[in-house]
Amino acid sequence: MPSEKATAIVLRTVEFSETSLVATLFTREHGKIGALAKGARRLKGPFESALDLLALCRIVFLHKTSDSLDILTEAKLMRRFRPDRNLAGLYAGYYVAELIDSLTDEDEPQPDLFDLADETLAAFAAGEPVVKWTVRFELGLLRILGHLPSLETCAECGAAVPNEGRAAFGQIDGGVLCNKCRAGKRHVVSVSAGVLRTMAQLADPNADLWRRMEIEPRGLGELRGLMNHYFTHLLGRKPKMLKYLGILGK
């Protein structure tokens, strides 16, 4: 088995024995991997405390071709995830890890998603606005993985939806619906045009307008409710961190 090198974000660790861990890592080069880190729980282990949750590290591992775990042989810490006195940033970071772990498959590289996650976690740690960065990550993840909802044209027929007042948003259909296609649909909510415009700006990977954007308090609850329900439908369950993200809608 040849050794592989990668830059990784630690998504999850589980105790394997008195001295070892199983780590779920999201790497830029290889996508998500599961690796056994022998000796990682020793006080003076070989990984220099690099396997903290959401830490960014450089790893060396033996990549197995079978269904068994890869073997982590080296991990050097590049950056810890430590939001300074920012509980919302901490919870949002855990939410980022949960979404990546739930929506990506093993051994499928997603370098754009890795870069987005790395940038987002660094922003949380630096005290950047958590609400805006969280929604930007959610929409970026949906775009990269092919699940971005239609925000300007009907998800059913492709007709333009007026960018004013309120619009019907189909959670199952994957976006806004025109009046004709709205009839008879289930799991449809009403969303304001302002929230849709905010989402479109945050979802655009080529624009920087979102950096100067301020989300109005009256639209924040509506925006978070829409995103929460959309991911619940996508995953088939509520993300575990949603109950802690309530702070973002206040």
Side-chain angles (χ1 to χ4, degrees):
M1 292 180 292
S3 62
E4 304 279 1
K5 296 181 180 180
T7 304
I9 296 171
V10 182
L11 298 181
R12 182 162 48 96
T13 60
V14 178
E15 296 179 1
F16 182 76
S17 68
E18 292 184 0
T19 60
S20 301
L21 293 172
V22 172
T24 301
L25 305 165
F26 186 55
T27 73
R28 192 177 195 281
E29 296 82 357
H30 305 277
K32 186 172 66 178
I33 65 171
L36 176 62
K38 296 181 179 179
R41 298 186 63 204
R42 294 192 185 116
L43 291 179
K44 294 184 179 180
F47 302 109
E48 303 176 359
S49 301
L51 298 180
D52 287 347
L53 186 60
L54 294 177
L56 179 70
C57 51
R58 284 291 296 173
I59 64 170
V60 179
F61 65 102
L62 301 177
H63 191 46
K64 294 194 173 183
T65 56
S66 63
D67 292 334
S68 57
L69 291 168
D70 297 333
I71 303 297
L72 195 64
T73 59
E74 184 179 335
K76 292 188 176 181
L77 182 68
M78 298 174 65
R79 185 184 71 232
R80 294 191 190 283
F81 181 64
R82 292 287 188 271
D84 186 24
R85 300 178 183 178
N86 186 352
L87 190 60
L90 182 67
Y91 289 156
Y94 294 161
Y95 179 59
V96 165
E98 180 182 0
L99 291 185
I100 293 174
D101 194 15
S102 300
L103 292 171
T104 61
D105 295 322
E106 290 194 359
D107 300 321
E108 289 191 6
Q110 296 283 356
D112 290 342
L113 180 56
F114 180 92
D115 292 343
L116 176 63
D118 184 35
E119 182 185 24
T120 301
L121 293 173
F124 290 158
E128 294 288 335
V130 174
V131 171
K132 185 164 62 174
W133 278 87
T134 298
V135 180
R136 178 176 178 263
F137 173 80
E138 290 173 317
L139 292 167
L141 175 144
L142 293 173
R143 172 179 52 79
I144 292 167
L145 298 182
H147 299 296
L148 184 67
S150 179
L151 302 173
E152 298 176 346
T153 59
C154 177
E156 185 75 15
C157 70
V161 175
N163 191 17
E164 58 185 10
R166 303 189 69 83
F169 187 98
Q171 300 284 359
I172 295 177
D173 301 278
V176 293
L177 297 167
C178 66
N179 290 334
K180 179 180 178 181
C181 295
R182 162 67 180 88
K185 297 287 187 182
R186 299 177 58 194
H187 301 290
V188 175
V189 297
S190 174
V191 59
S192 69
V195 166
L196 292 173
R197 285 193 295 269
T198 297
M199 292 172 65
Q201 290 179 10
L202 290 171
D204 188 348
N206 300 314
D208 283 332
L209 291 177
W210 68 271
R211 294 185 181 276
R212 300 186 297 274
M213 176 197 304
E214 292 188 9
I215 301 176
E216 296 182 1
R218 65 181 181 179
L220 177 55
E222 183 179 2
L223 174 59
R224 273 270 37 104
L226 183 64
M227 297 304 298
N228 293 350
H229 282 98
Y230 193 76
F231 275 98
T232 296
H233 278 282
L234 184 61
L235 294 171
R237 59 171 177 80
K238 282 188 177 181
K240 295 178 182 178
M241 289 305 301
L242 278 192
K243 60 182 178 181
Y244 299 104
L245 287 185
I247 190 173
L248 300 181
K250 299 180 180 179

